[in-house]
Amino acid sequence: MKDDGYAVRAEGLEKRYGEKRALDGFDLAVRAGTVHGLLGPNGAGKTTAVRILSTLIRLDGGRATVGGLDVERQAREVRARIGLTGQYAAVDEVLTGRQNLEMFGRLFHLGGRRAKARAAELLEQFDLTDAADKGVGDYSGGMRRRLDLAASMILTPAVLFLDEPTTGLDPRSRGEVWDAVRALVAGGTTVLLTTQYLEEADRLASRITVIDRGRSIADDTPDGLKNRVGGDRVEVVVAERSDIPRVVKVVARVSDGEPESDETELRVHAPVTDRVTALTDVARTLQDEGVRVEDIGLRRPSLDDVFLRLTGHRTETTEKEAAA
């Protein structure tokens, strides 16, 4: 397996739990110095893949390397080069932020003086200096997560595995974690990010692998994945359901494909090439015909559209947000 330019490689990974196949021939290639997103719903195999790549569990088939090292035969060497942040913060809420980092430094055999120095460096890097001597129990969710990231960076790992790091965080806290991740990559760290949040993958990752039922079903840049669904789309929302057939005919004149309609949302949309001309023509014609429009505009495909097209269903987080 060649690793030129890649920090993480996996080919045909398999993992079984009894009759269940958590991974069923999973492939992955992560370029060094980037954020690579691993996107999929609960049960898709994301966490299992991370546990194998971080040497926490053994694979049942296939092969994987991290930094050119085989995760099976060279597990000890792999562990010395990686960091791992799980779905829930692993810091002690009784201790202060500084005490947590110093404790982790001692656990990594840095020695007392070096552990204190490294803790100070990380507190500054993750913008936690002002809260360094406060109990972690008083930290916000975003601050706790940033401290958890700092703890995973004690030895400055070449590769950092982030397994759904913003699960349960509010939007502000999530943004704080995103800023911290960007700073890590700017410093040369490679990040493999598993997430259910489509916006998170879109904002952070330069490349995304979509996993479903233990297999890689797509691998591309965010824009490349969106282009699989199609380019820009003109979208019209009408006030009256009875106007939908008329809108379909108008949109069909400027579209590159058959318009789609949703009678529940009173929405008609279709792909277009000349986006501005198409939008102008549709708006003018509908106005001339007296069709009452609630909204009209241009829309790019989202990662949710991609996921729906690839898997036949939306991610659980999208479904929960829609039901909220």
Side-chain angles (χ1 to χ4, degrees), residues 40-68:
N42 278 335
K46 303 187 302 295
T47 296
T48 300
V50 167
R51 287 176 176 169
I52 288 174
L53 293 169
S54 57
T55 76
L56 292 179
I57 59 176
R58 298 178 66 88
L59 52 83
D60 292 325
R63 187 187 170 203
T65 60
V66 175

Side-chain angles (χ1 to χ4, degrees), residues 162-215:
L162 297 182
D163 189 15
E164 301 190 18
T166 61
T167 296
L169 295 185
D170 59 66
R172 179 179 178 179
S173 297
R174 193 177 299 166
E176 291 175 351
V177 174
W178 291 352
D179 289 342
V181 172
R182 293 187 184 102
L184 291 177
V185 176
T189 299
T190 301
V191 173
L192 177 62
L193 168 75
T194 76
T195 182
Q196 296 181 67
Y197 295 113
L198 298 157
E199 182 187 11
E200 184 162 81
D202 208 358
R203 291 282 191 92
L204 291 177
S206 58
R207 196 168 188 90
I208 294 171
T209 297
V210 181
I211 180 174
D212 195 32
R213 297 179 178 87
R215 288 178 174 268

Side-chain angles (χ1 to χ4, degrees), residues 209-225:
T209 297
V210 181
I211 180 174
D212 195 32
R213 297 179 178 87
R215 288 178 174 268
S216 309
I217 59 175
D219 184 285
D220 208 336
T221 64
D223 283 342
L225 289 173

Side-chain angles (χ1 to χ4, degrees), residues 36-170:
H36 191 110
L38 186 55
L39 178 64
N42 278 335
K46 303 187 302 295
T47 296
T48 300
V50 167
R51 287 176 176 169
I52 288 174
L53 293 169
S54 57
T55 76
L56 292 179
I57 59 176
R58 298 178 66 88
L59 52 83
D60 292 325
R63 187 187 170 203
T65 60
V66 175
L69 300 169
D70 189 282
V71 299
E72 289 279 279
R73 293 184 293 102
Q74 299 168 288
R76 184 184 295 273
E77 292 91 335
V78 169
R79 292 184 198 120
R81 300 190 182 192
I82 66 173
L84 172 63
T85 298
Q87 296 180 20
Y88 304 101
V91 292
D92 190 321
E93 296 192 0
V94 175
L95 302 178
T96 67
R98 188 186 308 277
Q99 288 170 336
N100 264 281
L101 293 181
E102 289 179 5
M103 177 185 69
F104 278 107
R106 298 295 290 269
L107 290 173
F108 280 107
H109 308 292
L110 290 186
R113 183 177 298 177
R114 180 57 186 140
K116 287 183 179 181
R118 185 60 178 148
E121 292 169 3
L122 290 167
L123 287 166
E124 182 175 358
Q125 180 179 347
F126 286 88
D127 195 23
L128 290 169
T129 301
D130 290 343
D133 298 310
K134 294 180 181 178
V136 174
D138 294 326
Y139 280 21
S140 68
M143 291 168 67
R144 241 188 230 102
R145 256 332 200 172
R146 277 154 45 209
L147 183 64
D148 203 32
L149 282 172
S152 68
M153 295 295 293
I154 290 288
L155 296 183
T156 317
V159 178
L160 178 61
F161 296 100
L162 297 182
D163 189 15
E164 301 190 18
T166 61
T167 296
L169 295 185
D170 59 66

